């Protein structure tokens, strides 16, 4: 089996995490470079992977798979906006599963990344372009929509619904049956006991909406 060439979109911290995971899967992926619109990064290396240029260079690598390595919190461009901008066929998007992740037969959407220690406890569907950082826990009957980002050790009780492009901070915990709205941000260490409306930022124990503050 020949490893498929792989491009990383974005050359920041998340790309470094994904590069480390990919290097444990040499039979599947051959990292050939990163693309980033920051001209200061062009010609540099990110953990040994060359930054080849801006996103406009993607057409020069038609045979390469692609993975979007940007997070969603406090960024003007969400991961799904980036995916829409690139307008690639789904088969171009790589799904990356660290060998130390447990998926329990889950169905993973294209472009999704699960890093070390992620545990999905029962078969369920995870959306497209989801990122789960180390030691995230997803449990029975959860619904994870497209573009969701889980920071390390975030955990969901059963039957939680997480809307499109939501962001759950490091160590956040969500009670069974709660809904996290699309584009919502849950702060690090928050304990979410009730529904979080779309686009709002909640933090604290128990979690409450923030007004003009950072999570």
């Amino acid at each position: 089996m020949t490893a498929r060439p792989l491009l990383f979109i974005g050359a920041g911290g998340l790309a470094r995490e994904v590069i480390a995971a990919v290097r444990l899967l040499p039979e599947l992926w051959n990292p050939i470079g990163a693309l980033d619109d920051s001209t200061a990064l062009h010609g540099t290396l990110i953990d040994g992977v060359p930054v080849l240029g801006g996103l406009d260079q993607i057409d020069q690598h038609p045979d390469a798979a692609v993975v979007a390595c940007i997070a969603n919190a406090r960024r003007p461009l969400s991961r799904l906006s980036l995916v829409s901008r690139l307008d690639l066929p789904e088969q171009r998007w790589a799904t990356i599963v660290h060998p130390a992740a447990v998926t329990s037969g889950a169905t993973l959407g294209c472009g999704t990344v699960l890093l070390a220690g992620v545990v999905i406890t029962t078969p369920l569907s995870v959306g497209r372009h989801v990122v789960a950082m180390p030691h995230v826990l997803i449990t029975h009957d959860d619904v994870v929509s497209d573009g969701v980002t889980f920071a390390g050790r975030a955990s969901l009780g059963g039957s939680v619904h997480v809307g499109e492009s939501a962001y759950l901070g490091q160590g956040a915990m969500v009670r069974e049956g709660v809904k996290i709205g699309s584009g919502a941000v849950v702060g690090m260490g928050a304990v979410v006991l009730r529904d979080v409306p779309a686009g709002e930022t909640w933090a604290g124990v128990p979690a409450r909406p923030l007004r003009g503050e950072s999570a």
Side-chain angles (χ1 to χ4, degrees), residues 101-179:
V102 177
T103 63
S104 300
T107 300
L108 305 178
C110 68
T112 283
V113 174
L114 306 181
L115 295 180
V118 170
V119 174
I120 301 175
T121 61
T122 59
L124 51 82
S125 293
V126 173
R128 301 160 53 250
H129 305 286
V130 170
V131 170
M133 298 297 283
H135 300 288
V136 166
L137 175 63
I138 300 171
T139 60
H140 68 88
D141 301 304
D142 291 334
V143 175
V144 179
S145 303
D146 295 348
V148 172
T149 302
F150 296 96
R153 298 191 182 277
S155 62
L156 307 181
S159 301
V160 172
H161 188 294
V162 185
E164 185 175 290
S165 295
Y167 181 96
L168 278 72
Q170 184 176 345
M173 296 185 289
V174 183
R175 183 179 184 173
E176 184 174 358
V178 165
K179 294 182 179 180

Side-chain angles (χ1 to χ4, degrees), residues 5-20:
L6 180 63
L7 284 171
F8 305 90
I9 304 301
L14 179 54
R16 296 186 66 195
E17 300 266 9
V18 180
I19 289 168

Side-chain angles (χ1 to χ4, degrees), residues 23-98:
R23 285 189 169 135
L24 298 175
L25 301 164
E27 71 284 1
L28 296 179
W29 306 112
N30 173 28
I32 61 171
L35 301 178
D36 196 297
D37 282 342
S38 173
T39 57
L41 296 174
H42 297 173
T44 65
L45 296 176
I46 174 171
D47 291 353
V49 174
V51 182
L52 302 174
L55 272 61
D56 58 350
Q57 302 295 307
I58 197 165
D59 292 338
Q60 297 185 19
H61 306 277
D63 296 327
V66 179
V67 59
C69 297
I70 65 168
N72 287 338
R74 306 184 193 90
R75 285 181 176 265
L77 179 67
S78 75
R79 195 156 51 251
L80 292 186
S81 296
L82 173 66
V83 168
S84 177
R85 169 184 164 186
L86 293 176
D87 193 27
L88 299 174
E90 287 204 349
Q91 60 266 28
R92 289 286 306 275
W93 293 105
T95 299
I96 309 294
V97 179
H98 193 288

